[in-house]
Structures are given as C-alpha cells and as structure tokens.
C-alpha cells in the first residue's frame, strides 16, 4: 500500500483524544492531494482544518522539518507575513539548484527513451546549467534569500470577510529566493496585455512592502523556468500515488518550450535590416 485514506470517524476520535477541542467533533474530508485535509467541527460549531501528511516526501527528512513548519505557522499567525524575524531551533530544506533543476532533470531521464524526448532532455540539461548559474548569482544579492512559502499560487490564498488576504498550505515552505514566491503570478512579454497589467500591479504592490533590486526583477523569467522544472519534479516525486501516464513526449516538449523563455532576448536588429525585411 502506498496511500490510504483515513476514516473520518476514527479521525474524530483521535482529535477528541489528542487536542483540546470541545467534544464531540465531526470530521469530513475537504481535499485529497499531496496531503489529505479535513474539516473539523466542534460541538459549539467552531471549525478547524486537520491535515494528514503523506509519507516519503523528498523535502521532509525528519520530524524537525515538520516542527519547522509548525513553528513558522505560529510565528506568522502572531506577526503576520513577516518571515525575517522568524527564529526556530529546527531546520528545513533549501530550494536551491539541486531541488529546482538537478532533481527534476534526473526524474525525467527514465521517460526520455524516444529520440525526440532524448534530444529535448539534452537541451533541457544545457539550459539547466544556465539556470543554475543564475540561481547562484541571485543568491548573492543582499536580502534576496530567506524563508519563503515556495508554492504561493492562487489556490493557496483566500480573501476573508474583511477583505484581507489569507495565505495557507505552507507544506513546501523552506529557504529560497524571495522573488520565487511571486513567480506563479509572473507573466512575460508573450502574455496577453490584461495578464501583464495584472502582473505589473502585483509587483508594484509587493515592492511597496519589500523592494526588489533591478537584478531580482530581471530574474523573473529565470525563476519562471525554474518553477516549470520544479513542478515536473514535484509531480514525479508523487508518481507512486498519482501515476505518471501524463509524462509524454508532448509534456517534455512543453516543458522545454517554457524553459526556453528564460533565454535572453536576441540582440535587436538594426532599423535598416528590419526595413529591408519588410
């Protein structure tokens, strides 16, 4: 057995036994994914979320990693989204080139048996070398590296009744480039105008709180390519539970197309050359 779904009634008994929550409680499944999340309702109608973590995650090495996340959640609940002041005796993984580039490429290798896929993987490896260099360069910028959420997509945010943004699902939190937390919202020059305008507004709002250096802003195409690589590796890390039939030649080609976007724009042509072409 690689994955099992716990019975809601048994979980209710565990919650009553292990937590200071008014009994009896009701437990119902909210979401099944990399973790299983349940809704816990106490006898007075109070609601809480209960998360059951799956085993064998590549970023969870020991109980200390879990304690790090719990300490961070308690800190953020008290201090807001202010990670600079966070302190803990526990450690956590780093979203460095090993996690963002090397591991995804190694995970893809068994699926590249065809000629086309092998060529695409070879190019991805070459591009991966450049991404690694850019990650290392960005890390040298003062204040650019620290504790991040690391999976801050729209599904992990909500707006409460008072209009405040609420962030959750810190399962992937760790040490990484600060700007990486914005990369799921980044939209490049090839995106529709409305999406680019939305991205510009997000970036402007973020920089009112935490200014980014010009080098960090210029690095978003690289971070977007790293995110695309990481996403593939992350899903392949869960292939024992979710399957791998989606890893096709076309999927690898799409990844390559996304990673190519991080390449520098070619030198602009001279006005005379452009006119002659027209």
């Amino acid at each position: 057995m690689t994955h099992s779904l716990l019975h809601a009634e048994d979980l209710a008994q565990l919650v009553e036994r292990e937590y200071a929550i008014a009994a009896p409680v009701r437990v119902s499944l909210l979401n099944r994914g990399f973790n299983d999340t349940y809704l816990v309702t106490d006898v007075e109608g109070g609601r809480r979320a209960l998360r059951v973590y799956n085993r064998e995650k590549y970023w969870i090495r020991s109980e200390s990693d879990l304690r790090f996340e719990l300490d961070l959640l308690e800190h953020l609940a008290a201090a807001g989204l202010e990670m600079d002041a966070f302190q803990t005796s526990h450690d956590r993984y780093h979203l460095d080139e090993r996690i963002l580039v090397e591991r995804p490429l190694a995970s893809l290798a068994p699926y590249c048996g065809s000629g086309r896929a092998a060529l695409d993987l070879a190019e991805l490896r070459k591009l991966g070398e450049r991404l690694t260099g850019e990650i290392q360069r960005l890390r040298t910028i003062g204040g650019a590296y620290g504790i991040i959420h690391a999976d801050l997509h729209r599904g992990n945010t909500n707006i409460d009744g008072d209009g405040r943004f609420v962030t959750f699902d810190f399962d992937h939190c760790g040490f990484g480039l600060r700007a990486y937390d914005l990369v799921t919202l980044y939209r490049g020059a090839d995106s529709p105008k409305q999406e680019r305008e939305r991205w510009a507004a997000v970036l402007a709002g973020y920089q009112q709180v935490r200014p980014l250096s010009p080098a960090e802003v210029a690095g978003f195409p690289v971070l977007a390519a790293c995110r695309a690589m990481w996403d593939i590796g992350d899903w392949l890390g869960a292939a024992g539970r979710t399957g791998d039939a989606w890893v096709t030649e076309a999927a690898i080609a799409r990844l390559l197309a996304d990673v190519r976007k991080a390449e520098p724009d070619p030198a602009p042509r001279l006005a005379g050359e452009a006119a002659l072409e027209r």
Side-chain angles (χ1 to χ4, degrees):
M1 181 180 294
T2 59
H3 183 66
S4 59
L5 191 63
L6 301 181
H7 197 285
E9 293 181 5
D10 292 332
L11 280 176
Q13 294 178 18
L14 182 145
V15 169
E16 292 176 359
R17 184 176 70 246
E18 300 292 337
Y19 297 93
I21 298 177
V25 302
R26 290 184 293 107
V27 175
S28 58
L29 181 66
L30 277 177
N31 182 66
R32 188 177 188 185
F34 275 49
N35 304 291
D36 297 331
T37 306
Y38 295 80
L39 173 65
V40 176
T41 307
D42 64 31
V43 69
E44 299 171 348
R47 302 194 303 169
R48 298 170 177 82
L50 171 68
R51 167 162 284 181
V52 178
Y53 280 74
N54 290 315
R55 292 179 177 271
E56 299 178 353
K57 294 179 176 180
Y58 62 87
W59 66 96
I60 302 296
R61 301 155 297 182
S62 69
E63 183 177 331
S64 181
D65 293 272
L66 297 174
R67 296 291 181 182
F68 181 102
E69 181 183 349
L70 293 174
D71 287 351
L72 179 61
L73 290 174
E74 290 184 353
H75 167 80
L76 297 178
L81 290 179
E82 179 48 70
M83 296 195 183
D84 288 341
F86 173 61
Q87 295 182 349
T88 180
S89 60
H90 301 288
D91 197 12
R92 191 76 169 181
Y93 79 129
H94 288 252
L95 282 90
D96 52 17
E97 59 273 13
R98 183 181 64 85
I99 294 295
L100 296 176
V101 178
E102 296 171 12
R103 184 180 178 277
L105 290 175
S107 299
L108 273 177
Y111 301 92
C112 295
S114 71
R116 174 186 171 182
L119 289 173
D120 286 349
L121 180 61
E123 185 175 349
L124 281 168
R125 284 173 172 157
K126 184 176 180 180
L127 293 171
E129 294 177 1
R130 176 176 176 265
L131 295 180
T132 293
E134 290 297 308
I135 292 170
Q136 294 172 346
R137 182 182 64 82
L138 289 170
R139 283 185 61 166
T140 65
I141 300 172
Y145 198 84
I147 300 172
I148 61 173
H149 181 285
D151 196 23
L152 199 59
H153 56 75
R154 293 180 183 178
N156 285 337
T157 58
N158 195 11
I159 301 177
D160 66 14
D162 296 324
R164 298 174 301 181
F165 280 90
V166 178
T167 303
F168 48 89
D169 193 4
F170 283 75
D171 184 24
H172 278 297
C173 72
F175 295 90
L177 291 164
R178 301 284 195 184
Y180 185 80
D181 264 349
L182 295 180
V183 76
T184 59
L185 302 173
Y186 166 73
R187 295 296 182 269
D190 60 339
S191 301
K193 180 181 178 182
Q194 185 176 16
E195 293 186 12
R196 285 186 280 114
E197 291 175 345
R198 186 181 297 118
W199 159 243
V202 168
L203 181 61
Y206 182 90
Q207 296 213 84
Q208 289 179 7
V209 179
R210 176 186 288 279
L212 297 173
S213 68
E216 289 175 278
V217 175
F220 274 111
V222 167
L223 295 181
C226 290
R227 172 74 185 193
M229 296 266 276
W230 171 86
D231 201 35
I232 289 285
D234 201 46
W235 278 104
L236 284 176
R241 298 191 306 274
T242 60
D244 59 1
W246 55 271
V247 192
T248 61
E249 264 192 3
I252 297 170
R254 285 195 299 271
L255 173 63
L256 176 57
D258 287 338
V259 174
R260 279 174 176 163
K261 295 177 183 179
E263 286 291 275
D265 291 334
R269 293 170 297 174
L270 297 176
E273 293 177 331
L276 180 62
E277 183 176 291
R278 286 196 297 270

